[in-house]
Amino acid sequence: MRENIQTIVILTGAGISAESGLKTFRAEDGLWENHPVEQVATPEGFAADPALVHRFYDERRAQIRNAQPNLAHEALGRLDREWEGDLLIVTQNIDDLHERGGARRVLHMHGEALSAWCTACDARHRWDEGLGDGPACPACGSAALRPDIVWFGEMPYRMERIFSALARADLFVSIGTSGAVYPAAGFVQEAGRAGARTLELNLKRSQGSHLFDETRLGTASELVPRWVD
Ligand code: BV8
């Protein structure tokens, strides 16, 4: 895998955390099934019922705290520590399992469950600072504290950083994502245009499988260590 490759960009989705017990979005027992997207993952939904949305993310945060990184997260952690070239793990996931699996060069494009954002003073806080429910911002006292999550219709984080990495990529690897959500679903084309080799590791063929040079099917905990090692 290593011949004349300098820059690797990896995109991960909910599928890499499935074997850690965290639900994906679009499986039959997926997250959205119990909650209409409009209610819990849009700014409008939050404005309409902030308590419901806080409960939804409190529940996800509790599951994340109880989850452990799996063999796929740990393999990417090893790769991150050993890879001397450029490497960027762009994750759509809001859990911290990449970091707990040893990865450092991680970019959460859809935000993080453990982070709170005060839209009054723009400060970020960690939820485990005992912000409680119906939380107030520790910095300014405002009640305008929301989950630091990118909802539908909101601009994902650090897009310029992501696109500049894709423009330099020699290898783009997508792991555990259905390719249903943009702009992430379009990254494979950006990388391909830059001349990168593109590889998909997924349980099932995704909506974008036809855009990859190669797709390998299986679980992340089996495919990722085999690819890394
Ligand atoms: C934006 C919140 C532009 C965090 C999420 C019409 C109106 C409005 C917008 C749009 C529109 N049409 C298109 C859009 C754009 C929209 C979009 O793409 N909609 C889709 C539904 C058509 N996108 C946006 O709104 C984005 N913003 O475009 O802004 C803009 C421009 C200018 C100015 C302002 C704005 C924002 C998108 C982010 C939304 N937030 N989540 C949270 O609650 O977690 S999206 C949500 O879906 C998650 O972030 C998740 O990461 C993402 C993608 O899902 P996946 O991770 O792929 O998970 P999924 O369940 O789908 O698939 C799992 C895969 O894993 C499967 O393939 C499965 O086979 C595989 N798998 C399962 N088990 C395993 C496995 N693989 C390996 N091993 C296993 N064991």
Side-chain angles (χ1 to χ4, degrees), residues 26 32 37-38 41-44 150-155 180-182:
R26 293 170 185 83
W32 303 132
V37 173
E38 297 69 30
T42 62
E44 297 77 14
V150 176
W151 286 322
F152 285 97
E154 295 186 324
M155 179 58 91
V181 173
Y182 289 84

Side-chain angles (χ1 to χ4, degrees), residues 12-16 18-19 24-27 31-32 41 56-57 60 92-94 110 149-156 175-183 201-206 218-221:
T12 65
I16 199 170
E19 291 161 275
T24 64
F25 290 84
R26 293 170 185 83
L31 266 178
W32 303 132
F56 176 66
Y57 285 100
R60 305 237 340 249
Q92 299 172 91
N93 300 340
I94 62 174
H110 290 166
I149 299 284
V150 176
W151 286 322
F152 285 97
E154 295 186 324
M155 179 58 91
I175 304 169
T177 180
S178 61
V181 173
Y182 289 84
L201 307 178
N202 212 47
L203 189 63
K204 293 191 223 110
R205 292 185 67 78
S206 71
T219 63
S221 63

Side-chain angles (χ1 to χ4, degrees), residues 130-146:
L131 298 174
D133 46 2
C137 170
C140 74
S142 153
L145 212 52
R146 61 166 269 186

